[in-house]
Amino acid sequence: MSPTLYTPDRDELATVLAGEPRYRLDQLWEGLYTQLAAPADISNIPKQLRERLATHLPTSLTSVVRRENDNGDTVKYLWELHDGSRIETVLMVYPDRVTVCVSSQAGCAMACGFCATGQAGFTRQLTVGEIVEQVVMAARDARAMHRRLANVVFMGMGEPMANEGAVWGSVERLHGALGLSARHITISTVGLIPGIRTLTQRPLPVNLAVSLHAANDELRDELVPINKRYPIDDLMRACDDYLEAKGRRLSFEWAMIDGVNDRERDAAELATLCRRLRLAAHVNLIPLNPTPGYPTVGSSKARVAQFHTWLTDLGVNATVRRNRGTDIDAACGQLAAGQPVTLRRKPARD
Ligand code: SAH
């Protein structure tokens, strides 16, 4: 695949600029990653060079739809890539922080039944440039709202640990060029052990989140099919080693499904699992969001609160994730790149 604007690192960009005065590299790098400017707007670079860049290093994302919720504090972007595949990005503006949720693959091969991306299947891996560009676009919008984007979560479409190389390349860029702190970058995985092991060897201590959803293999095999290959025991060992190496807290994500994983004994099993880790785990409870291909509904508000209390009483650190974006199909598990997710109304199609 030919490189796009946000693909090359600084050294590679220097090669592209061979023959230009040395300071051009600084101007371009600072224009792209500090000013967050589109190349055409980097005015201290000669027009001819800007045109040459646009030809040799085109951008990768074409906007298909940009939808905001009523307050404009959640923005969902639907992008088309050069080969026609589509991905989504979600910008979330909170009073105290701005977070972007990025996709790491077009589609996903993990086939978790309750997730809209999993229901749609896998298209292809994203490149470093395609991942970085999602963040730059969101950061540019945040800036227009006079806010600074400081948090990135790899919780959009795809399984980041099935595309570890490009994900890591993008993490380095976000850290090195956009100046994001590793502790503000979170990689979420369904539990691909080889990916977690590779990540353990990487230098930056990014946060690791594991989409657990079940604390016994029988139920997890059903909810998260890849569990058959990487069962809970092995997964916990890989997580534990990651935490030991990085000194970071682990998060478990738990999508609460009515009558499936929201019973008292599910809380007890989860608590036992959390206690096995040498370092602390934090549980994120996510009320299941509706998707077309999954019959079961999310736990009631009261049950989510009850489950939270059970966990807390067992000494587990847990929070209920604020649900953002359900009204624009931008919530956890609802990203399906243009395929309608909401059952109660038809979203506008382009
Ligand atoms: N593939 C990675 C990254 C996606 S993160 C992973 O699974 O971790 C998206 C998060 O939303 C995951 O925790 C996923 O399990 C969760 N999720 C998927 N479908 C959901 C749904 N319908 N409701 C709530 N959460 C869901």
Side-chain angles (χ1 to χ4, degrees), residues 114-115 155-156 158-159 188-190 211 213 253 288-289 291 332-333:
F114 53 88
C115 176
M155 295 186 181
E159 168 49 46
S188 181
T189 177
V190 80
S211 297
H213 311 310
E253 289 151 280
L288 186 84
N289 294 307
T291 59
C332 304

Side-chain angles (χ1 to χ4, degrees), residues 260-278:
V260 173
N261 64 356
D262 65 353
R263 301 153 302 177
E264 189 165 8
R265 70 176 147 101
D266 298 306
E269 270 175 9
L270 174 55
T272 306
L273 207 62
C274 289
R275 273 195 292 271
R276 272 177 43 190
L277 293 167
R278 280 171 287 179

Side-chain angles (χ1 to χ4, degrees), residues 212-215 252-256 261 266 270 284-286 307:
L212 196 62
H213 311 310
F252 286 134
E253 289 151 280
W254 194 276
M256 295 203 55
N261 64 356
D266 298 306
L270 174 55
N284 252 316
L285 301 173
I286 318 166
F307 197 82

Side-chain angles (χ1 to χ4, degrees), residues 145-337:
M145 302 175 201
H146 306 289
R147 298 292 304 273
R148 178 174 179 263
L149 184 145
N151 301 278
V152 175
V153 296
F154 285 84
M155 295 186 181
M157 300 174 77
E159 168 49 46
M161 291 299 90
N163 189 13
E164 200 274 343
V167 164
W168 189 258
S170 70
V171 165
E172 285 189 320
R173 187 73 45 77
L174 303 181
H175 181 260
L178 283 175
L180 300 188
S181 143
R183 60 183 54 243
H184 291 159
I185 299 175
T186 300
I187 295 180
S188 181
T189 177
V190 80
L192 293 191
I193 293 176
I196 297 173
R197 294 272 179 221
T198 311
L199 198 65
T200 308
Q201 305 302 318
R202 302 287 194 184
L204 298 170
V206 298
N207 300 309
L208 184 65
V210 172
S211 297
L212 196 62
H213 311 310
N216 69 71
D217 283 321
E218 199 188 340
L219 180 57
R220 197 164 192 270
D221 282 352
E222 228 176 87
L223 296 177
V224 181
I226 199 70
N227 190 70
K228 293 187 197 109
R229 184 157 354 144
Y230 303 114
I232 294 174
D233 256 359
D234 300 347
L235 176 58
M236 289 306 115
R237 266 194 295 278
C239 291
D240 213 20
D241 291 344
Y242 184 83
L243 301 186
E244 272 290 291
K246 308 290 179 186
R248 304 309 310 271
R249 181 178 83 162
L250 180 75
S251 310
F252 286 134
E253 289 151 280
W254 194 276
M256 295 203 55
I257 312 172
D258 185 42
V260 173
N261 64 356
D262 65 353
R263 301 153 302 177
E264 189 165 8
R265 70 176 147 101
D266 298 306
E269 270 175 9
L270 174 55
T272 306
L273 207 62
C274 289
R275 273 195 292 271
R276 272 177 43 190
L277 293 167
R278 280 171 287 179
L279 292 171
H282 179 93
V283 175
N284 252 316
L285 301 173
I286 318 166
L288 186 84
N289 294 307
T291 59
Y294 194 67
T296 317
V297 296
S299 311
S300 69
K301 249 194 165 138
R303 181 43 78 99
V304 175
Q306 171 70 75
F307 197 82
H308 181 252
T309 307
W310 284 327
L311 287 178
T312 314
D313 288 349
L314 290 165
V316 176
N317 195 332
T319 46
V320 179
R321 184 176 287 173
R322 281 178 276 177
N323 218 340
R324 275 289 179 101
T326 37
D327 50 345
I328 51 171
D329 293 334
C332 304
Q334 291 191 314
L335 303 184

